[in-house]
Amino acid sequence: AKENDETKLQALLEKTMIVNDQSKPNHLFMDTSMSDGMAGTILLIVSLLLLTTCLVLLVKTLQTVFRGQAALWMKSLLNLEFKSVPCIADYILIAFGAGMTILMQSSSITTSTLTPLVGIGLIKLEKMFPFTVGANIGTTVTGILSALAGSNIATGMEVAMSHLLFNVIGTVIWFP
């Protein structure tokens, strides 16, 4: 608040619904004699264990879901190949990876979802590269949308378009 009078400032602070009182510590390890470093180490170990458990369960779930006819159908769809035009399938997979990322607004989700499918043999390793490149291009749409929602659209769009062009030019250079 831009109020110079201390009493008026206190009156404004009492009316506000924003509460930011940091005088009272409020955290998980508050009533222990544990240091912040030790608490952070414990939380890091617990979070890594939870992450590993979730990934193992995700792979096991995918293994049970993708059996039989569903596995054959997904394998042919995700390992797309055209005998007459061999390279076109990879560009379709790039578009698919970009489309999935645009829908989910996160390249990490797209890549993390498809990686276990490589682990169980549903997607060939060389077919994962086009998905990842497409996810990298698709994630730039999030920057474009946030630039359009910002207060300085011109500067935001300049940065977002730089991000998009950087990824597209990198794809043109490095993708076979």
Side-chain angles (χ1 to χ4, degrees), residues 134-157:
N136 195 22
I137 292 171
T139 197
T140 61
V141 173
T142 306
I144 293 170
L145 290 175
S146 62
L148 291 172
S151 60
N152 191 350
I153 295 176
T155 304
M157 282 303 291

Side-chain angles (χ1 to χ4, degrees), residues 5-7 24 28 31 33 38 40-41 43 46 54 59 69 75-76 83 89 96 101 127 132 135 148-149 151 154:
D5 186 16
E6 189 65 33
T7 57
K24 298 180 241 171
L28 182 64
D31 295 328
S33 61
M38 180 59 80
T41 303
L43 290 174
V46 168
C54 288
V59 169
Q69 193 62 29
K75 196 171 195 174
S76 65
K83 303 294 184 211
F96 181 70
T101 303
K127 292 297 180 181
T132 306
L148 291 172
S151 60

Side-chain angles (χ1 to χ4, degrees), residues 73-151:
W73 182 75
M74 287 299 285
K75 196 171 195 174
S76 65
L77 180 69
L78 296 174
N79 294 310
L80 197 58
E81 284 292 333
F82 295 113
K83 303 294 184 211
S84 58
V85 187
C87 294
I88 195 74
D90 289 342
Y91 293 104
I92 292 171
L93 293 176
I94 288 175
F96 181 70
M100 277 183 53
T101 303
I102 289 169
L103 289 174
M104 295 186 196
Q105 296 293 307
S106 172
S107 61
S108 299
I109 292 174
T110 303
T111 308
S112 298
T113 303
L114 294 175
T115 301
L117 297 179
V118 174
I120 63 173
L122 209 58
I123 301 175
K124 294 178 189 170
L125 187 58
E126 58 270 5
K127 292 297 180 181
M128 185 61 186
F129 183 58
F131 282 120
T132 306
V133 169
N136 195 22
I137 292 171
T139 197
T140 61
V141 173
T142 306
I144 293 170
L145 290 175
S146 62
L148 291 172
S151 60

